Every structure is written in C-alpha cells, then in structure tokens.
Amino acid sequence: MDRLSFVLFGHAAFQYLSAACELGLVDLLAERGPLPEVEIREQLGLQERACAILLLGCTALGLTVKEGSHYRIADLVASLRADGTWQKISDTVAFEQEIVYEGQADFAESLRRNSNVGLRRIPGDQPDLYRRLSGNPRLESVFYRYMKSWSELANTHLVHTLDLTHTRRLLDCGGGDAVNAIALARHNPALEVTVLEIPTSAGMTAARIARAGLSERVFVQPCDMFVDPFPTGMDCVLFAHQLVIWTPEQNTALLRKAHAALDPGGRVVIFNSMSNDEGDGPLVAALDSVYFAALPAEGGMIYPWRLHERCLREAGFGAVERFPVPGWTPHGIIVATKEAP
C-alpha cells in the first residue's frame, strides 16, 4: 500500500519538489541552515500555514530533515548541490513543471489515439513541440536549460567512451544548443563539428557556440533533418537525444541519411536514454516515456536497445556495439559502422 499510495499521490510529491526549488527552500537551507520554522517562514515570505505545508511535505519526502526545532536539507540533496548536480535536477524540475506536467494529463488519450495529444497544451499550430517553442521564448529557455542539464548528466561518458582520435568531421544531428558538440570539440582538439538544427533555433545554437569560443571548429547548418540532405564526407554522425522522439520508421529514414553522409568506415552514434530489451524497465525510462507519448511529436518513447539496433541494420550499418552508461539516468551509447561495399 505504501508503494501504491506513492504512485497514487505522485503528482503531489513532485509539486513539493517543484515548490522547494521555486520558492528557494533548498538554497536557503543549503546556505544558511539549519533554521527554525519561523525563520524559514520569514526568509521565504510565506504565511505560517503555507510554510507548515511546505515543510511537512519536504520532510516527509526526505528532501529536508527536522532535528529538534530546526530544519536542514537532506544529506543526498546537500551532496548533489555540492557537486553541481542539483542545478541540473532543478532545471529538470522546471522543464517538467512548465512544459511536461500539463500535457501529461492527456497521456491516456495519447495512447488511445497513438498520437501526441498533449501538444495541444502548448501554444502554437506547428506539428511538434520544438517548432512551437520558438514562438514561446520563456518555455524555449526552460526547455534548452533542461536539455543542456540532461545531456551534461551523461555526456561525460559520451566524451570518454567515444574514441574520436581519427575522426576529423562529425555531424551532430538535431544538436540543440550544441551542448554535446561543444563537449566533444573541447575533448578532441582536432575535431570539427557541424550541428544540424531547425532554422528557428539555429541562431541560438550559433550564439552558444560563440560564447564557448569554438566558432572556428563548431558550425551550425540550419536544416530540416527529414527534408534537407545531410552534408557528405563525414567520419561520424551523432544522434544525441533524437531517436527517442520519432517512430522507428522515421529513425530508420534518418539513419539511412546518416549512412549516405558517411565515407566507408565511418560511424554513426546513438546517444540517449534506453529501456531494457525485456521491456521491464528501468523505471526512469518508463516514466520518461510518458512525455514522449503525450507531447513532443507523433512518435517516440524510450526505446529498447534492440529496436535501435534493428533500425541500424535496416539502414545498412554493421559492427554494432553497445555501451551502457552508469548512473541513475538510463543513458546508453550505440556505435555502428558503415562497412566498405
């Protein structure tokens, strides 16, 4: 019953986490705690009842700890804050609250129709979330902060797992604000990266690259991946957090375009969250699939490894390797090679 109760009221648990971030409770206790309730109330500008509700929930959930008459942040939260991870979690919380949460109310209807019904909650008439965001600057900012943070939680493993010693030209398909392109370029000084990004976001991508001081090696090419041709003569093509958005048929089409863009011996890399081949988890992959079912585009979920591998074979790739990523985020890397004819 405890587990069922947590599932039943899980939406309320998330709201406590969101409020703790938005109202500044975590930052307050990290910087000035432990503190008594009356001082927390004064610092956060909350009335007595409101503060009591916030502290009740955060303490019951283990985000805060009460010792005597004082409250402090939990050890896990303190350690995540100390190593910089908590800011990435806060960015994820804002994304869930501002963009995902309302659309997930349409999850059952999205399953019934096999379509992203929840997109109707985002203003605009474009067919996917990414194009609609360009008309909603605040949501766009929330989204790209989240994507940067979500990528950074795992792309250290991408940087150190993917051997680019003999790679000169890498194509980053749908590279967003270039978070992965920048990380790879910094780690590989001889590497040039071309980021394909939809025209409405390409300017933001270029600005981010310029701020990183990498405009001489990381470039942006405005592109609709499903319509426009890929640049050819590439040594490596990267799909980071892309092949969870689309249907398997669309993924295979994109992989065929990657195959055509590569010279023989070139590699394609899939980097995103993965679910188990058995269809039984991990839990975060299952929970994240609600978003992909309800919001971004007509297809998508956190697919199992084997489905990506099937798409790769159908696109003509061979020599497929898996690289699971350690940690609580269910990321994985798949590398496949274009074989000589």
Side-chain angles (χ1 to χ4, degrees), residues 68-105:
S69 61
H70 286 59
Y71 292 85
R72 64 173 176 84
I73 56 172
D75 293 340
L76 173 62
V77 178
S79 66
L80 292 173
R81 205 172 180 281
D83 69 12
T85 302
W86 186 255
Q87 182 56 55
K88 297 176 175 62
I89 291 176
S90 295
D91 291 339
T92 304
V93 169
F95 165 72
E96 294 288 330
Q97 178 77 331
E98 297 288 336
I99 296 175
V100 178
Y101 213 87
E102 188 176 0
Q104 287 185 341

Side-chain angles (χ1 to χ4, degrees), residues 25-320:
L25 177 63
V26 171
D27 289 341
L28 174 66
L29 293 182
E31 294 165 7
R32 300 184 55 183
L35 294 174
E37 181 176 344
V38 63
E39 189 167 347
I40 294 171
R41 191 164 71 229
E42 291 171 357
Q43 292 295 323
L44 298 185
L46 297 177
Q47 297 296 313
E48 181 176 358
R49 167 186 159 277
C51 189
I53 293 171
L54 178 63
L55 291 173
L56 169 65
C58 289
T59 304
L61 289 167
L63 300 173
T64 56
V65 176
K66 186 177 184 184
E67 294 175 337
S69 61
H70 286 59
Y71 292 85
R72 64 173 176 84
I73 56 172
D75 293 340
L76 173 62
V77 178
S79 66
L80 292 173
R81 205 172 180 281
D83 69 12
T85 302
W86 186 255
Q87 182 56 55
K88 297 176 175 62
I89 291 176
S90 295
D91 291 339
T92 304
V93 169
F95 165 72
E96 294 288 330
Q97 178 77 331
E98 297 288 336
I99 296 175
V100 178
Y101 213 87
E102 188 176 0
Q104 287 185 341
D106 292 317
F107 178 51
E109 187 62 20
S110 295
L111 295 179
R112 189 176 289 115
R113 298 190 197 180
N114 197 32
S115 181
N116 55 329
V117 177
L119 184 63
R120 64 184 179 180
R121 314 282 180 151
I122 304 295
D125 56 8
Q126 296 88 341
D128 61 64
L129 172 66
Y130 312 102
R131 288 172 175 82
R132 290 195 185 190
L133 286 174
S134 64
N136 297 273
R138 185 180 65 82
L139 294 184
E140 184 179 49
S141 175
V142 169
F143 176 82
Y144 282 106
R145 281 202 311 272
Y146 155 72
M147 280 306 305
K148 179 177 182 292
S149 291
W150 188 246
S151 293
E152 286 176 344
L153 284 168
N155 71 8
T156 297
H157 300 286
L158 174 69
V159 166
H160 291 285
T161 299
L162 186 59
D163 184 359
L164 297 175
T165 305
H166 302 292
T167 300
R168 292 295 173 263
R169 299 183 66 200
L170 183 144
L171 186 66
D172 182 6
C173 298
D177 70 349
V179 58
N180 295 305
I182 289 169
L184 290 169
R186 283 176 171 163
H187 191 72
N188 299 275
L191 183 67
E192 289 188 357
V193 184
T194 299
V195 179
L196 298 185
E197 183 57 27
I198 56 175
T200 53
S201 302
M204 173 205 65
T205 306
R208 173 83 171 86
I209 293 166
R211 288 196 299 273
L214 287 167
S215 297
E216 293 184 357
R217 289 197 295 121
V218 182
F219 316 103
V220 184
Q221 180 170 321
C223 176
D224 183 328
M225 293 190 301
F226 291 102
V227 176
D228 301 323
F230 286 7
T232 57
M234 293 291 163
D235 303 309
C236 184
V237 177
L238 170 66
F239 291 98
H241 299 111
Q242 277 296 311
L243 303 190
V244 292
I245 301 170
W246 318 108
T247 66
E249 293 76 19
Q250 289 173 307
N251 287 348
T252 301
L254 289 173
L255 290 168
R256 286 195 178 107
K257 295 182 77 170
H259 192 273
L262 289 166
D263 291 333
R267 297 173 297 164
V268 66
V269 178
I270 299 171
F271 170 60
N272 48 233
S273 297
M274 307 282 183
S275 61
N276 300 337
D277 286 339
E278 297 77 15
D280 58 358
L283 179 59
V284 174
L287 297 177
D288 203 15
S289 289
V290 178
Y291 162 69
F292 288 104
L295 265 169
E298 282 290 331
M301 65 174 288
I302 305 302
Y303 291 111
W305 295 82
R306 58 178 169 76
L307 190 140
H308 290 299
E309 292 167 347
R310 188 191 81 192
C311 293
L312 285 164
R313 288 191 297 271
E314 291 176 355
F317 287 97
V320 179

